[in-house]
Amino acid sequence: MALIDLQQISKHYEAQKILENINFHIDEGERIVIIGKNGSGKSTLMKIIDGSLQPDTGERLTKQNLQIKMLSQRPNFKNGQSVKDAIKDGLKELIDAKKRYDKLSILLADDFNNSALLDEHAKLAHLLDHHRAWNLDDKICRVIENFKLQEYEDKPVLLLSGGEQRRVALASLLLQKPDVLLLDEPTNHLDVYMVEFLENLLLKEKFTLILISHDRYFIDNIATKSIEIEDCKLKEFTGGYSSYLVQKEEILRTMQKQHDNLLRLVRAENEWYSRGVRARLKRNEGRKARLMQLRQDAKINPAKIRKMSVELERESKHFNRDKSINKQKMLFEIEDLQISLGDKLLVDNFNARILQKDVIAIVGPNGSGKSTLLKALLGRISPTKGTIKCGDFTIGYFDQHREMLDDDKDLLETFCPNGGDRVDVWGKNMHVYGYLKNFLFPREFLDKKIGILSGGEKNRVALALLFTKKVDILILDEPTNDLDIPTINILEEQLTHFQGAVIIVSHDRYFVDKIAKKLLIFKGNGDIQESYQPYTQYLQVQKELQELCNMQTIHKEKITRAATPKPLKLTFKEKIALEKLPLEIDELEKLIDDKSRCLTDPQCYEDIGIVILADELQELQDIYEQKVEELLNIEEKLEQINNQTTIV
């Protein structure tokens, strides 16, 4: 049986159909992404899966005692609760289970034949294994560190921003490791380093997962299956985003007349993906193979690690040459720029020129100063030192707070403030509905007030409004947050055809790879590096350099440990195994002898079946080999302990 099975589910809101007779199921170990435009029913489906929303018709079946947890868009925390306590609050059952397990381990050391204690001990071990909760304190520290929550861990969680509170809630859910985890836009408010940590954790811990996300690289790295909601129905696709694109194109090929616009977007997306990502795949795979080989070589020759580091540094520097054309009109000239906020140095001794055709992505960890640099370019804050010289040009600005919108106006008033129903878009006069249709707004939205729209819908309005302005440069701060993938495709297409300069702050690796021609990388402590590498390639090089650095550290630690060996001792499990394994091995030897004799006796094997008997014998022999290997390893360790004691 599937962990969760939805059968013939329908859900309507008044006259609007959201889901109509859909079927959905998830098995253990699956990681399913739900794809669809805003308003298609993604969040509704998640809530029905979670059980917090009842369908109008249909049946929801779940495995008995199944634990389902969902990341809320607006987490609830107790008043006065610190960040660390908020994370631990959801772990009480596992913390108590570990304490009880440790207590039972001590009791069983003196009373090993107590069957009741052994049974409870085994159940607790299974619980801790399932939730991978053996070293919760270490895991809590690691997730706090990787989600950049150290400086807040003793502060009241309710004083944090909404994005920081979401990181706290996500950290707690990951540590709880429920049977099924539901994540709605988990990468919002995470920088690329946090996203990488999240990806690694979800894969390493083998989560069963259902998620909604616009981060296409994240989907590709995580998802085993994609479910698209379209016209109140579900369509299933194998694999992640790139696999979805290929399969979707096959479907749309037969519907070209009805779907010309979507087919063009999918083909452009697929063409870019094949050209921009797969063209680098062989290079990355080759470098990865070299790195794997170096790891083996490093055990013998640590100097090879340094050689690889030099090669990677050289490759990174190759992309950092100034490739701009000086004949272009200069928009900004930045000289010896320094910006500090309080005691924190965000920009230090930064020099750069931004020209009329530049398409620049500003990237780096959260809190490193990316949005601060945008504000300095906009003239909203003054530098601590240095200068920003500006040419004669106009700016179109999109921020995360959508400050250009008035909640009291409807869409028609927003786009046609002087009356009428037509807008100018880059020299082309269009009916406002015809234009907004490109941003996935139906006609009935024209008289809706901005204030009643969702966050994603407001973002679409703000972006559509931005592209009606006659500007020389677009400055966009996290433009893909709260957007669905179809809208991001539209945004990418608009930016590709924009004739001026573009500066974007974004953590969306796919978006940056596709749009940016130049990177400004915030490294921390005011250091900003220019690069012309694709963003994912830059991240890969930095990751490999860090791995090589870690290998050098490990090599040094091994030398240190060799000088001062740590005392060995058997674990509690090994002590139990040392008593049980000889008896189990003796029993297996008897069973193997019995099966072997039966195979030589026609009267015996004809009753059972010679094939079945041979399979049973092979299975017993495999188990026997495993048990013997385990016992030999423990006995070898015990011998080392005895030798250690003798030396002392």
Side-chain angles (χ1 to χ4, degrees):
M1 175 187 170
L3 296 181
I4 302 171
D5 198 1
L6 305 184
Q7 298 177 0
Q8 296 297 301
I9 295 289
S10 294
K11 185 66 183 177
H12 302 171
Y13 290 113
E14 296 178 350
Q16 185 181 5
K17 293 180 180 179
I18 302 297
L19 301 171
E20 192 70 23
N21 294 325
I22 62 103
N23 296 297
F24 172 92
H25 74 274
I26 183 169
D27 296 319
E28 186 172 358
E30 282 192 303
R31 298 183 297 275
I32 298 176
V33 63
I34 302 172
I35 296 172
K37 65 183 182 182
N38 286 345
S40 62
K42 300 190 297 293
S43 294
T44 298
L45 177 58
M46 286 275 271
K47 289 173 184 175
I48 292 173
I49 293 169
D50 176 48
S52 58
L53 180 67
Q54 294 300 312
D56 296 330
T57 60
E59 192 172 10
R60 174 182 178 270
L61 304 172
T62 64
K63 187 178 177 182
Q64 191 173 11
N65 300 320
L66 189 72
Q67 187 184 48
I68 305 171
K69 293 286 181 77
M70 183 170 176
L71 177 64
S72 172
Q73 291 285 357
R74 294 182 179 85
N76 291 318
F77 297 104
K78 296 175 184 174
N79 193 28
Q81 195 173 41
S82 72
V83 166
K84 195 165 188 177
D85 288 342
I87 291 173
K88 282 187 169 182
D89 195 43
L91 304 174
K92 188 177 185 306
E93 180 188 358
L94 296 176
I95 292 170
D96 290 346
K98 181 61 168 62
K99 287 178 181 176
R100 178 62 179 164
Y101 178 88
D102 291 339
K103 185 176 181 180
L104 288 175
S105 297
I106 295 169
L107 294 173
L108 284 169
D110 298 323
D111 189 10
F112 182 71
N113 294 319
N114 188 319
S115 59
L117 291 182
L118 281 170
D119 184 53
E120 185 183 358
H121 191 264
K123 287 179 180 177
L124 288 171
H126 177 73
L127 176 71
L128 294 169
D129 268 338
H130 175 72
H131 293 278
R132 297 181 179 260
W134 292 102
N135 297 301
L136 272 178
D137 286 338
D138 289 343
K139 292 175 81 171
I140 290 169
C141 290
R142 194 161 66 249
V143 80
I144 284 176
E145 178 184 352
N146 281 280
F147 281 160
K148 306 288 169 54
L149 295 168
Q150 305 104 307
E151 61 183 295
Y152 310 120
E153 63 178 278
D154 297 320
K155 292 183 180 179
V157 68
L158 292 178
L159 296 182
L160 272 56
S161 69
E164 289 160 349
Q165 288 186 28
R166 286 244 311 162
R167 296 212 303 267
V168 173
L170 177 59
S172 182
L173 279 180
L174 292 170
L175 291 165
Q176 291 172 49
K177 196 178 184 291
D179 298 319
V180 180
L181 179 60
L182 308 182
L183 299 177
D184 190 351
E185 295 291 1
T187 62
N188 274 3
H189 311 291
L190 301 185
D191 62 36
V192 290
Y193 305 101
M194 297 178 195
V195 173
E196 182 184 14
F197 170 73
L198 176 61
E199 287 175 356
N200 291 337
L201 186 63
L202 292 173
L203 294 173
K204 180 182 177 184
E205 302 281 351
K206 296 181 170 59
F207 275 79
T208 300
L209 183 67
I210 303 170
L211 69 130
I212 297 169
S213 179
H214 68 260
D215 187 326
R216 290 156 289 181
Y217 280 149
F218 180 72
I219 294 171
D220 242 3
N221 293 338
I222 292 296
T224 58
K225 184 191 294 183
S226 301
I227 300 290
E228 182 180 42
I229 304 181
E230 190 173 40
D231 298 328
C232 307
K233 301 291 185 182
L234 303 189
K235 292 189 183 75
E236 184 176 311
F237 302 86
T238 57
Y241 183 67
S242 56
S243 179
Y244 156 80
L245 285 175
V246 174
Q247 295 169 73
K248 183 75 173 177
E249 187 173 15
E250 285 297 319
I251 293 171
L252 293 180
R253 190 170 282 127
T254 62
M255 306 163 62
Q256 187 165 354
K257 287 184 180 179
Q258 302 97 314
H259 293 275
D260 274 344
N261 187 45
L262 185 55
L263 184 59
R264 176 168 50 82
L265 284 173
V266 170
R267 280 180 172 164
E269 185 86 335
N270 208 20
E271 181 186 351
W272 176 85
Y273 186 87
S274 299
R275 184 180 69 252
V277 180
R278 295 177 190 267
R280 295 193 297 274
L281 191 60
K282 288 184 179 178
R283 178 193 185 96
N284 290 340
E285 287 299 320
R287 193 166 59 216
K288 185 176 179 181
R290 295 207 321 272
L291 183 62
M292 295 299 106
Q293 184 58 50
L294 272 167
R295 283 182 171 165
Q296 297 302 316
D297 295 345
K299 296 174 183 177
I300 305 165
N301 184 5
K304 291 197 176 185
I305 301 174
R306 293 191 293 276
K307 180 176 180 292
M308 181 63 169
S309 296
V310 172
E311 287 180 10
L312 287 171
E313 288 284 8
R314 186 182 296 123
E315 180 176 341
S316 184
K317 287 175 183 176
H318 169 74
F319 283 93
N320 294 340
R321 295 168 294 149
D322 188 1
K323 300 183 180 181
S324 58
I325 300 171
N326 293 329
K327 292 179 182 178
Q328 292 179 25
K329 175 182 176 183
M330 189 191 69
L331 303 179
F332 294 102
E333 185 167 9
I334 303 167
E335 294 181 348
D336 302 325
L337 188 67
Q338 185 183 89
I339 304 175
S340 297
L341 291 180
D343 297 331
K344 191 169 184 180
L345 181 63
L346 298 174
V347 178
D348 188 30
N349 194 31
F350 177 54
N351 294 276
R353 289 181 301 163
I354 298 173
L355 307 177
Q356 69 185 87
K357 295 289 185 180
D358 278 344
V359 182
I360 299 171
I362 301 175
V363 297
N366 282 347
S368 58
K370 302 183 300 296
S371 294
T372 301
L373 178 59
L374 289 191
K375 289 174 184 174
L377 295 176
L378 291 164
R380 299 188 176 188
I381 62 171
S382 300
T384 309
K385 290 181 183 177
T387 60
I388 301 176
K389 297 177 183 176
C390 302
D392 182 19
F393 57 87
T394 54
I395 297 174
Y397 177 55
F398 173 90
D399 75 322
Q400 298 175 57
H401 306 293
R402 301 177 287 265
E403 61 183 39
M404 65 178 75
L405 300 182
D406 183 343
D407 283 351
D408 294 328
K409 291 183 177 178
D410 61 30
L411 264 69
L412 193 58
E413 292 171 315
T414 298
F415 284 85
C416 305
N418 300 318
D421 57 7
R422 302 191 72 80
V423 292
D424 284 319
V425 184
W426 297 345
K428 185 179 179 182
N429 189 264
M430 301 179 67
H431 189 279
V432 68
Y433 167 63
Y435 176 59
L436 287 176
K437 189 167 61 172
N438 294 328
F439 287 84
L440 308 180
F441 283 110
R443 185 182 289 274
E444 57 266 26
F445 267 66
L446 288 179
D447 59 359
K448 284 195 175 185
K449 297 288 187 186
I450 299 293
I452 68 169
L453 301 180
S454 69
E457 288 166 343
K458 285 182 179 179
N459 270 7
R460 273 192 279 155
V461 173
L463 288 168
L465 185 60
L466 186 64
F467 291 119
T468 65
K469 309 297 182 185
K470 190 175 181 180
V471 296
D472 299 296
I473 180 170
L474 292 171
I475 296 181
L476 312 175
D477 192 358
E478 293 288 2
T480 63
N481 272 4
D482 297 318
L483 294 185
D484 51 30
I485 290 175
T487 308
I488 296 174
N489 280 329
I490 293 167
L491 170 61
E492 289 165 350
E493 187 178 32
Q494 294 283 345
L495 290 175
T496 301
H497 291 98
F498 180 61
Q499 295 300 305
V502 178
I503 301 176
I504 52 176
V505 168
S506 181
H507 297 301
D508 188 328
R509 297 159 294 175
Y510 193 108
F511 177 68
V512 171
D513 270 356
K514 191 171 179 183
I515 296 300
K517 296 179 174 64
K518 176 181 175 181
L519 304 177
L520 293 180
I521 304 157
F522 277 67
K523 310 276 285 181
N525 298 318
D527 184 20
I528 303 175
Q529 175 186 331
E530 285 190 6
S531 177
Y532 291 85
Q533 283 176 289
Y535 189 30
T536 47
Q537 188 167 334
Y538 165 80
L539 291 170
Q540 183 64 27
V541 168
Q542 296 306 306
K543 183 179 179 181
E544 290 169 9
L545 283 168
Q546 184 60 51
E547 287 176 350
L548 292 171
C549 181
N550 293 342
M551 287 168 64
Q552 287 177 310
T553 303
I554 290 167
H555 182 74
K556 290 175 183 176
E557 288 175 351
K558 283 181 178 177
I559 293 172
T560 305
R561 280 200 298 270
T564 54
K566 187 178 178 181
L568 288 173
K569 62 179 182 178
L570 290 183
T571 65
F572 178 73
K573 284 185 177 180
E574 287 172 333
K575 289 177 183 176
I576 293 176
L578 192 61
E579 293 185 23
K580 284 187 171 183
L581 282 171
L583 300 175
E584 292 174 355
I585 289 169
D586 286 344
E587 186 63 30
L588 283 166
E589 285 175 344
K590 291 175 185 175
L591 289 171
I592 288 169
D593 287 343
D594 290 345
K595 298 286 183 186
S596 298
R597 277 195 297 272
C598 189
L599 275 172
T600 63
D601 182 356
Q603 194 170 7
C604 180
Y605 67 65
E606 282 174 3
D607 290 341
I608 301 170
I610 194 166
V611 174
I612 294 172
L613 191 59
D615 288 343
E616 289 175 351
L617 177 59
Q618 184 61 53
E619 185 178 351
L620 286 170
Q621 288 172 333
D622 290 343
I623 296 170
Y624 176 80
E625 292 295 335
Q626 291 171 9
K627 300 277 187 186
V628 169
E629 180 69 21
E630 186 180 354
L631 181 59
L632 288 173
N633 288 336
I634 295 172
E635 287 178 341
E636 184 180 345
K637 185 175 177 180
L638 185 62
E639 186 178 348
Q640 291 174 352
I641 292 168
N642 293 334
N643 290 339
Q644 177 181 276
T645 307
T646 304
I647 291 168
V648 172

